[in-house]
Amino acid sequence: MSNRTFTMIKPDAVANGHIGGILNMINAAGFRIVAMKMTQLSAAKAGEFYAVHKERPFYGELVEFMSSGHIVAAILEKDNAVEDFRKLIGATNPANAEEGTIRKKYAESIGRNAVHGSDSDENAAIEGDFFFSGLEKF
Ligand SMILES: Nc1ncnc2c1ncn2[C@@H]1O[C@H](COP(=O)(O)OP(=O)(O)OP(=O)(O)O)[C@@H](O)[C@H]1O
């Protein structure tokens, strides 16, 4: 079990002024931020990041949305990081997300759902490298 996961605060939450609120929830849950940056994905980069969903009907909408505005990408550290962070963000569809989760509080819909969280240790490492590769040491 790795102690790191990767997250993005998505364009809806950034545009609606929720970066601070979401980071507070992340800190309060015991995660340490080891790398973080604000950036905007090109459609090509968003498509690459979500390539596993290429065949899904919502792929075009997802890529358009994820490249529509600024995002905040971060690597987080905590014991059991991947699983605990998935619990903290809540269900993909905010209608099914539990009280106390980030998506319950900040997500607008299944597409505009405020945050991303890696679903495995392997993907956490791949996704972290996607944004923070090479020269940076953390
Ligand atoms: N039916 C849908 N309509 C529109 N967008 C969707 C739909 N299902 C999923 N998505 C979008 O695709 C993303 C990836 O879907 P996935 O099933 O991997 O959910 P997730 O693992 O909870 O989300 P994420 O990977 O962003 O943490 C979702 O977060 C959501 O933004």
Side-chain angles (χ1 to χ4, degrees), residues 22-40:
I22 290 171
L23 292 179
N24 281 339
M25 287 180 78
I26 289 172
N27 283 325
F31 291 88
R32 192 169 79 83
I33 297 167
V34 293
M36 181 164 70
K37 72 175 162 199
M38 185 184 239
T39 186
Q40 182 165 359

Side-chain angles (χ1 to χ4, degrees), residues 8-13 50 58-68 71 91-95 103 106-116:
M8 266 190 286
I9 302 177
K10 297 186 179 184
D12 57 322
Y50 280 112
F58 56 81
Y59 179 69
E61 185 189 326
L62 176 61
V63 168
E64 190 184 336
F65 167 60
M66 289 303 297
S67 57
S68 68
I71 57 109
T92 308
N93 185 345
R103 282 171 169 162
Y106 293 115
E108 295 176 353
S109 65
I110 190 168
R112 303 167 67 86
N113 63 359
V115 277
H116 163 79

